[in-house]
Amino acid sequence: LTPQEKKDIYRLLGAVLSKPNCVHMAFNSSFELKWSKHRHIPSKCDYEPMVVAGLLDENLPHDLGTSVQMYVDPDFVKLDSSKISTWDWDKVFPYNASDADYNLRLAHALRPRLEAEPSSQRLYDNLLHPFQTKVLPKLELGGIFVHMDKLQQAEEKCVPERDNQSNEILKYVPEGYVLPVKSKKSLKRGFNPGSPKQLSDLLFNVLGLPDNYSGSTAEAVLIELKGKHPIMVPIMEFLKYEKLLDFLESWRLLRDSKGFIHPHYHLIPTTGRLSCTDPNLQQTPRILFIRNVLGAPPGYVLLMFDYSQIELRIIAHYAQDPEMIQAFLHHEDIHLLTASDITNIPMEELRARIKDGDEEAKELRKKAKAVNFGLVFEMGAFGLVRYAKEKYEVDLTLEEATTW
């Protein structure tokens, strides 16, 4: 297409997609709205079947194929469009027409179901729909700025630390140890502590650590093994710096020509929570020199606002839990209260210890905070261990996560 032809097409699209007396429906509307906004095409979305389907049944996969099979046509099979850019028009046209047709049918099927649930309808109308169609596209298109000088400094700090820990690990690898691999390249490289298979073989088959999880080297398992062998200290440190470098590398690769990365946010309708991918900024470690890599571009200021313990306040209201309600009414530290409940240590004692700089008491409060927020979203033991580590940089054992 010539530039003029593109301009004419975009003008016609804008006239249709923004027409006020037409109802526009789009499944996963943030994608279409971002596409149009990026090309300065005026557009709107009046109904979002993906959000409605997720609100009606949180357990279903939120894709068009599954939703159509569930509510419209059980025999529907959606074609794989991963290579659509290579298709010719004779294949693209019926594919897109089918998507539009089934999107419309799905919307008609979902509308009466949502109307039958007045509270869900209000939630959709007042919060979920405007957030999905107005806030998310702007949020993703805006992105967040990556300071390349700080990224470089962070990498220069992490690489030597990771390599030092790798060398410490190698001290515990027996001479003549045969790697559980067949690749000549892997054999030539030697033991790789970043390989789950090699690490599992070394820990359980060679060093004889207790294997209660079928050879798993998941973070929760490694935390359980801390203290059972001196190799665990450098292993945990190695994996920590390897993970930090993975974050930095993804930011470097995904930044655009202006220095921004544009994560994809996914709204979870039943809870209102967001998940994030490509990259997952929500799991950015709470390490200052890593977080400082992300910020505001020159001439701007990045502000952060947070509702204090909002999920727990809502839980207290709907559950009418007297202990939680009293704690919030009297501006009590809810996390300290939980720490006291699960350890049987009086709150005043914990408060005094924290004030005096007691690291163990601070750690207990962090664990309680992870438990408070984790259990609100029904996390299992493994999920809670991972959440505590990723969100609060605290090691929660599987036993603690199970019993608390």
PDB file of all heavy atoms in Angstrom, residues 31-56:
ATOM      1  N   PHE A  31      -6.132  -4.705  22.767  1.00  0.00           N
ATOM      2  CA  PHE A  31      -5.250  -4.913  21.607  1.00  0.00           C
ATOM      3  C   PHE A  31      -5.695  -4.053  20.433  1.00  0.00           C
ATOM      4  O   PHE A  31      -4.903  -3.320  19.831  1.00  0.00           O
ATOM      5  CB  PHE A  31      -5.241  -6.392  21.214  1.00  0.00           C
ATOM      6  CG  PHE A  31      -4.426  -6.687  19.982  1.00  0.00           C
ATOM      7  CD1 PHE A  31      -3.057  -6.841  20.072  1.00  0.00           C
ATOM      8  CD2 PHE A  31      -5.033  -6.779  18.731  1.00  0.00           C
ATOM      9  CE1 PHE A  31      -2.302  -7.095  18.934  1.00  0.00           C
ATOM     10  CE2 PHE A  31      -4.292  -7.028  17.588  1.00  0.00           C
ATOM     11  CZ  PHE A  31      -2.908  -7.192  17.693  1.00  0.00           C
ATOM     12  N   GLU A  32      -7.000  -4.135  20.089  1.00  0.00           N
ATOM     13  CA  GLU A  32      -7.515  -3.351  18.957  1.00  0.00           C
ATOM     14  C   GLU A  32      -7.430  -1.845  19.226  1.00  0.00           C
ATOM     15  O   GLU A  32      -7.087  -1.056  18.335  1.00  0.00           O
ATOM     16  CB  GLU A  32      -8.970  -3.732  18.672  1.00  0.00           C
ATOM     17  CG  GLU A  32      -9.159  -4.993  17.862  1.00  0.00           C
ATOM     18  CD  GLU A  32      -9.013  -6.255  18.712  1.00  0.00           C
ATOM     19  OE1 GLU A  32      -8.906  -6.125  19.943  1.00  0.00           O
ATOM     20  OE2 GLU A  32      -9.015  -7.357  18.130  1.00  0.00           O
ATOM     21  N   LEU A  33      -7.744  -1.450  20.459  1.00  0.00           N
ATOM     22  CA  LEU A  33      -7.710  -0.027  20.794  1.00  0.00           C
ATOM     23  C   LEU A  33      -6.282   0.526  20.765  1.00  0.00           C
ATOM     24  O   LEU A  33      -6.054   1.654  20.330  1.00  0.00           O
ATOM     25  CB  LEU A  33      -8.344   0.196  22.166  1.00  0.00           C
ATOM     26  CG  LEU A  33      -9.862  -0.060  22.218  1.00  0.00           C
ATOM     27  CD1 LEU A  33     -10.348  -0.088  23.668  1.00  0.00           C
ATOM     28  CD2 LEU A  33     -10.617   1.003  21.426  1.00  0.00           C
ATOM     29  N   LYS A  34      -5.319  -0.288  21.210  1.00  0.00           N
ATOM     30  CA  LYS A  34      -3.910   0.146  21.129  1.00  0.00           C
ATOM     31  C   LYS A  34      -3.485   0.285  19.672  1.00  0.00           C
ATOM     32  O   LYS A  34      -2.790   1.246  19.307  1.00  0.00           O
ATOM     33  CB  LYS A  34      -3.002  -0.870  21.829  1.00  0.00           C
ATOM     34  CG  LYS A  34      -2.945  -0.745  23.325  1.00  0.00           C
ATOM     35  CD  LYS A  34      -1.865  -1.633  23.899  1.00  0.00           C
ATOM     36  CE  LYS A  34      -2.094  -3.072  23.527  1.00  0.00           C
ATOM     37  NZ  LYS A  34      -1.020  -3.963  24.011  1.00  0.00           N
ATOM     38  N   TRP A  35      -3.885  -0.703  18.867  1.00  0.00           N
ATOM     39  CA  TRP A  35      -3.519  -0.673  17.446  1.00  0.00           C
ATOM     40  C   TRP A  35      -4.036   0.607  16.797  1.00  0.00           C
ATOM     41  O   TRP A  35      -3.324   1.276  16.065  1.00  0.00           O
ATOM     42  CB  TRP A  35      -4.100  -1.901  16.744  1.00  0.00           C
ATOM     43  CG  TRP A  35      -3.697  -2.035  15.302  1.00  0.00           C
ATOM     44  CD1 TRP A  35      -2.604  -2.671  14.802  1.00  0.00           C
ATOM     45  CD2 TRP A  35      -4.404  -1.491  14.167  1.00  0.00           C
ATOM     46  NE1 TRP A  35      -2.576  -2.568  13.436  1.00  0.00           N
ATOM     47  CE2 TRP A  35      -3.662  -1.849  13.012  1.00  0.00           C
ATOM     48  CE3 TRP A  35      -5.566  -0.753  14.021  1.00  0.00           C
ATOM     49  CZ2 TRP A  35      -4.072  -1.485  11.735  1.00  0.00           C
ATOM     50  CZ3 TRP A  35      -5.964  -0.383  12.744  1.00  0.00           C
ATOM     51  CH2 TRP A  35      -5.221  -0.749  11.612  1.00  0.00           C
ATOM     52  N   SER A  36      -5.291   0.936  17.062  1.00  0.00           N
ATOM     53  CA  SER A  36      -5.884   2.121  16.429  1.00  0.00           C
ATOM     54  C   SER A  36      -5.298   3.416  16.992  1.00  0.00           C
ATOM     55  O   SER A  36      -5.034   4.361  16.234  1.00  0.00           O
ATOM     56  CB  SER A  36      -7.405   2.105  16.568  1.00  0.00           C
ATOM     57  OG  SER A  36      -7.780   2.056  17.924  1.00  0.00           O
ATOM     58  N   LYS A  37      -5.093   3.462  18.301  1.00  0.00           N
ATOM     59  CA  LYS A  37      -4.528   4.683  18.899  1.00  0.00           C
ATOM     60  C   LYS A  37      -3.113   4.937  18.384  1.00  0.00           C
ATOM     61  O   LYS A  37      -2.710   6.079  18.161  1.00  0.00           O
ATOM     62  CB  LYS A  37      -4.528   4.568  20.427  1.00  0.00           C
ATOM     63  CG  LYS A  37      -5.892   4.720  21.075  1.00  0.00           C
ATOM     64  CD  LYS A  37      -5.811   4.583  22.578  1.00  0.00           C
ATOM     65  CE  LYS A  37      -7.202   4.637  23.214  1.00  0.00           C
ATOM     66  NZ  LYS A  37      -7.858   5.932  23.022  1.00  0.00           N
ATOM     67  N   HIS A  38      -2.355   3.856  18.211  1.00  0.00           N
ATOM     68  CA  HIS A  38      -0.980   3.986  17.722  1.00  0.00           C
ATOM     69  C   HIS A  38      -0.953   4.593  16.318  1.00  0.00           C
ATOM     70  O   HIS A  38       0.004   5.267  15.940  1.00  0.00           O
ATOM     71  CB  HIS A  38      -0.302   2.613  17.727  1.00  0.00           C
ATOM     72  CG  HIS A  38       1.142   2.640  17.348  1.00  0.00           C
ATOM     73  ND1 HIS A  38       2.106   3.239  18.132  1.00  0.00           N
ATOM     74  CD2 HIS A  38       1.793   2.160  16.256  1.00  0.00           C
ATOM     75  CE1 HIS A  38       3.282   3.121  17.558  1.00  0.00           C
ATOM     76  NE2 HIS A  38       3.130   2.473  16.419  1.00  0.00           N
ATOM     77  N   ARG A  39      -2.026   4.353  15.569  1.00  0.00           N
ATOM     78  CA  ARG A  39      -2.100   4.872  14.197  1.00  0.00           C
ATOM     79  C   ARG A  39      -3.003   6.100  14.097  1.00  0.00           C
ATOM     80  O   ARG A  39      -3.384   6.502  13.005  1.00  0.00           O
ATOM     81  CB  ARG A  39      -2.613   3.748  13.269  1.00  0.00           C
ATOM     82  CG  ARG A  39      -1.582   2.644  13.100  1.00  0.00           C
ATOM     83  CD  ARG A  39      -2.196   1.329  12.666  1.00  0.00           C
ATOM     84  NE  ARG A  39      -1.158   0.301  12.506  1.00  0.00           N
ATOM     85  CZ  ARG A  39      -0.615  -0.360  13.531  1.00  0.00           C
ATOM     86  NH1 ARG A  39      -1.017  -0.114  14.773  1.00  0.00           N
ATOM     87  NH2 ARG A  39       0.326  -1.263  13.321  1.00  0.00           N
ATOM     88  N   HIS A  40      -3.350   6.649  15.267  1.00  0.00           N
ATOM     89  CA  HIS A  40      -4.158   7.873  15.338  1.00  0.00           C
ATOM     90  C   HIS A  40      -5.525   7.692  14.676  1.00  0.00           C
ATOM     91  O   HIS A  40      -6.054   8.608  14.032  1.00  0.00           O
ATOM     92  CB  HIS A  40      -3.417   9.058  14.706  1.00  0.00           C
ATOM     93  CG  HIS A  40      -2.036   9.262  15.263  1.00  0.00           C
ATOM     94  ND1 HIS A  40      -1.806   9.705  16.548  1.00  0.00           N
ATOM     95  CD2 HIS A  40      -0.811   9.034  14.712  1.00  0.00           C
ATOM     96  CE1 HIS A  40      -0.507   9.756  16.763  1.00  0.00           C
ATOM     97  NE2 HIS A  40       0.122   9.359  15.674  1.00  0.00           N
ATOM     98  N   ILE A  41      -6.081   6.481  14.822  1.00  0.00           N
ATOM     99  CA  ILE A  41      -7.415   6.190  14.300  1.00  0.00           C
ATOM    100  C   ILE A  41      -8.404   6.305  15.458  1.00  0.00           C
ATOM    101  O   ILE A  41      -8.291   5.568  16.437  1.00  0.00           O
ATOM    102  CB  ILE A  41      -7.488   4.769  13.704  1.00  0.00           C
ATOM    103  CG1 ILE A  41      -6.468   4.613  12.572  1.00  0.00           C
ATOM    104  CG2 ILE A  41      -8.889   4.459  13.211  1.00  0.00           C
ATOM    105  CD1 ILE A  41      -6.327   3.181  12.083  1.00  0.00           C
ATOM    106  N   PRO A  42      -9.366   7.217  15.416  1.00  0.00           N
ATOM    107  CA  PRO A  42     -10.344   7.314  16.508  1.00  0.00           C
ATOM    108  C   PRO A  42     -11.166   6.038  16.602  1.00  0.00           C
ATOM    109  O   PRO A  42     -11.594   5.488  15.581  1.00  0.00           O
ATOM    110  CB  PRO A  42     -11.205   8.519  16.118  1.00  0.00           C
ATOM    111  CG  PRO A  42     -10.998   8.692  14.649  1.00  0.00           C
ATOM    112  CD  PRO A  42      -9.613   8.205  14.343  1.00  0.00           C
ATOM    113  N   SER A  43     -11.352   5.527  17.811  1.00  0.00           N
ATOM    114  CA  SER A  43     -12.091   4.272  17.966  1.00  0.00           C
ATOM    115  C   SER A  43     -12.701   4.201  19.360  1.00  0.00           C
ATOM    116  O   SER A  43     -12.313   4.954  20.262  1.00  0.00           O
ATOM    117  CB  SER A  43     -11.168   3.067  17.737  1.00  0.00           C
ATOM    118  OG  SER A  43     -10.107   3.076  18.682  1.00  0.00           O
ATOM    119  N   LYS A  44     -13.644   3.277  19.552  1.00  0.00           N
ATOM    120  CA  LYS A  44     -14.239   3.067  20.856  1.00  0.00           C
ATOM    121  C   LYS A  44     -14.681   1.616  20.966  1.00  0.00           C
ATOM    122  O   LYS A  44     -14.761   0.895  19.954  1.00  0.00           O
ATOM    123  CB  LYS A  44     -15.441   3.990  21.080  1.00  0.00           C
ATOM    124  CG  LYS A  44     -16.639   3.736  20.163  1.00  0.00           C
ATOM    125  CD  LYS A  44     -17.699   4.807  20.342  1.00  0.00           C
ATOM    126  CE  LYS A  44     -18.912   4.560  19.433  1.00  0.00           C
ATOM    127  NZ  LYS A  44     -19.778   3.487  19.913  1.00  0.00           N
ATOM    128  N   CYS A  45     -14.938   1.165  22.178  1.00  0.00           N
ATOM    129  CA  CYS A  45     -15.464  -0.185  22.382  1.00  0.00           C
ATOM    130  C   CYS A  45     -16.596  -0.094  23.393  1.00  0.00           C
ATOM    131  O   CYS A  45     -16.391   0.366  24.522  1.00  0.00           O
ATOM    132  CB  CYS A  45     -14.368  -1.129  22.895  1.00  0.00           C
ATOM    133  SG  CYS A  45     -14.978  -2.773  23.318  1.00  0.00           S
ATOM    134  N   ASP A  46     -17.785  -0.534  22.980  1.00  0.00           N
ATOM    135  CA  ASP A  46     -18.961  -0.422  23.839  1.00  0.00           C
ATOM    136  C   ASP A  46     -19.255  -1.704  24.623  1.00  0.00           C
ATOM    137  O   ASP A  46     -19.976  -1.663  25.613  1.00  0.00           O
ATOM    138  CB  ASP A  46     -20.186  -0.065  22.994  1.00  0.00           C
ATOM    139  CG  ASP A  46     -19.968   1.230  22.229  1.00  0.00           C
ATOM    140  OD1 ASP A  46     -19.734   2.264  22.880  1.00  0.00           O
ATOM    141  OD2 ASP A  46     -20.015   1.197  20.983  1.00  0.00           O
ATOM    142  N   TYR A  47     -18.719  -2.826  24.158  1.00  0.00           N
ATOM    143  CA  TYR A  47     -18.991  -4.088  24.860  1.00  0.00           C
ATOM    144  C   TYR A  47     -17.771  -4.997  24.712  1.00  0.00           C
ATOM    145  O   TYR A  47     -17.209  -5.120  23.622  1.00  0.00           O
ATOM    146  CB  TYR A  47     -20.231  -4.770  24.279  1.00  0.00           C
ATOM    147  CG  TYR A  47     -20.851  -5.785  25.219  1.00  0.00           C
ATOM    148  CD1 TYR A  47     -21.606  -5.375  26.312  1.00  0.00           C
ATOM    149  CD2 TYR A  47     -20.670  -7.152  25.015  1.00  0.00           C
ATOM    150  CE1 TYR A  47     -22.173  -6.297  27.178  1.00  0.00           C
ATOM    151  CE2 TYR A  47     -21.244  -8.081  25.868  1.00  0.00           C
ATOM    152  CZ  TYR A  47     -21.990  -7.649  26.962  1.00  0.00           C
ATOM    153  OH  TYR A  47     -22.544  -8.558  27.815  1.00  0.00           O
ATOM    154  N   GLU A  48     -17.376  -5.635  25.834  1.00  0.00           N
ATOM    155  CA  GLU A  48     -16.151  -6.442  25.864  1.00  0.00           C
ATOM    156  C   GLU A  48     -16.484  -7.874  26.287  1.00  0.00           C
ATOM    157  O   GLU A  48     -16.531  -8.190  27.477  1.00  0.00           O
ATOM    158  CB  GLU A  48     -15.155  -5.824  26.857  1.00  0.00           C
ATOM    159  CG  GLU A  48     -13.768  -5.611  26.325  1.00  0.00           C
ATOM    160  CD  GLU A  48     -13.005  -6.879  25.988  1.00  0.00           C
ATOM    161  OE1 GLU A  48     -13.601  -7.971  25.983  1.00  0.00           O
ATOM    162  OE2 GLU A  48     -11.808  -6.766  25.715  1.00  0.00           O
ATOM    163  N   PRO A  49     -16.755  -8.783  25.333  1.00  0.00           N
ATOM    164  CA  PRO A  49     -17.127 -10.157  25.687  1.00  0.00           C
ATOM    165  C   PRO A  49     -16.070 -10.891  26.515  1.00  0.00           C
ATOM    166  O   PRO A  49     -16.419 -11.731  27.353  1.00  0.00           O
ATOM    167  CB  PRO A  49     -17.316 -10.828  24.319  1.00  0.00           C
ATOM    168  CG  PRO A  49     -17.620  -9.717  23.380  1.00  0.00           C
ATOM    169  CD  PRO A  49     -16.822  -8.549  23.886  1.00  0.00           C
ATOM    170  N   MET A  50     -14.792 -10.606  26.303  1.00  0.00           N
ATOM    171  CA  MET A  50     -13.751 -11.300  27.057  1.00  0.00           C
ATOM    172  C   MET A  50     -13.868 -11.009  28.553  1.00  0.00           C
ATOM    173  O   MET A  50     -13.764 -11.914  29.391  1.00  0.00           O
ATOM    174  CB  MET A  50     -12.350 -10.891  26.573  1.00  0.00           C
ATOM    175  CG  MET A  50     -11.229 -11.667  27.256  1.00  0.00           C
ATOM    176  SD  MET A  50      -9.584 -11.147  26.744  1.00  0.00           S
ATOM    177  CE  MET A  50      -9.423  -9.606  27.658  1.00  0.00           C
ATOM    178  N   VAL A  51     -14.090  -9.749  28.901  1.00  0.00           N
ATOM    179  CA  VAL A  51     -14.222  -9.367  30.306  1.00  0.00           C
ATOM    180  C   VAL A  51     -15.494  -9.961  30.896  1.00  0.00           C
ATOM    181  O   VAL A  51     -15.499 -10.454  32.027  1.00  0.00           O
ATOM    182  CB  VAL A  51     -14.215  -7.832  30.453  1.00  0.00           C
ATOM    183  CG1 VAL A  51     -14.459  -7.426  31.901  1.00  0.00           C
ATOM    184  CG2 VAL A  51     -12.875  -7.264  29.973  1.00  0.00           C
ATOM    185  N   VAL A  52     -16.588  -9.937  30.122  1.00  0.00           N
ATOM    186  CA  VAL A  52     -17.848 -10.495  30.610  1.00  0.00           C
ATOM    187  C   VAL A  52     -17.699 -11.997  30.865  1.00  0.00           C
ATOM    188  O   VAL A  52     -18.123 -12.514  31.902  1.00  0.00           O
ATOM    189  CB  VAL A  52     -18.988 -10.236  29.614  1.00  0.00           C
ATOM    190  CG1 VAL A  52     -20.277 -10.906  30.084  1.00  0.00           C
ATOM    191  CG2 VAL A  52     -19.205  -8.741  29.434  1.00  0.00           C
ATOM    192  N   ALA A  53     -17.058 -12.718  29.920  1.00  0.00           N
ATOM    193  CA  ALA A  53     -16.865 -14.162  30.079  1.00  0.00           C
ATOM    194  C   ALA A  53     -16.025 -14.459  31.317  1.00  0.00           C
ATOM    195  O   ALA A  53     -16.310 -15.388  32.078  1.00  0.00           O
ATOM    196  CB  ALA A  53     -16.207 -14.741  28.834  1.00  0.00           C
ATOM    197  N   GLY A  54     -14.991 -13.657  31.535  1.00  0.00           N
ATOM    198  CA  GLY A  54     -14.145 -13.850  32.712  1.00  0.00           C
ATOM    199  C   GLY A  54     -14.878 -13.551  34.005  1.00  0.00           C
ATOM    200  O   GLY A  54     -14.618 -14.179  35.038  1.00  0.00           O
ATOM    201  N   LEU A  55     -15.798 -12.611  33.955  1.00  0.00           N
ATOM    202  CA  LEU A  55     -16.575 -12.258  35.139  1.00  0.00           C
ATOM    203  C   LEU A  55     -17.598 -13.343  35.476  1.00  0.00           C
ATOM    204  O   LEU A  55     -17.841 -13.654  36.647  1.00  0.00           O
ATOM    205  CB  LEU A  55     -17.282 -10.926  34.902  1.00  0.00           C
ATOM    206  CG  LEU A  55     -18.028 -10.294  36.080  1.00  0.00           C
ATOM    207  CD1 LEU A  55     -17.101 -10.076  37.258  1.00  0.00           C
ATOM    208  CD2 LEU A  55     -18.651  -8.966  35.647  1.00  0.00           C
ATOM    209  N   LEU A  56     -18.167 -13.955  34.435  1.00  0.00           N
ATOM    210  CA  LEU A  56     -19.173 -14.991  34.652  1.00  0.00           C
ATOM    211  C   LEU A  56     -18.567 -16.311  35.114  1.00  0.00           C
ATOM    212  O   LEU A  56     -19.184 -17.055  35.881  1.00  0.00           O
ATOM    213  CB  LEU A  56     -19.980 -15.219  33.359  1.00  0.00           C
ATOM    214  CG  LEU A  56     -20.882 -14.069  32.929  1.00  0.00           C
ATOM    215  CD1 LEU A  56     -21.491 -14.364  31.560  1.00  0.00           C
ATOM    216  CD2 LEU A  56     -21.980 -13.827  33.958  1.00  0.00           C
TER     217      LEU A  56
END
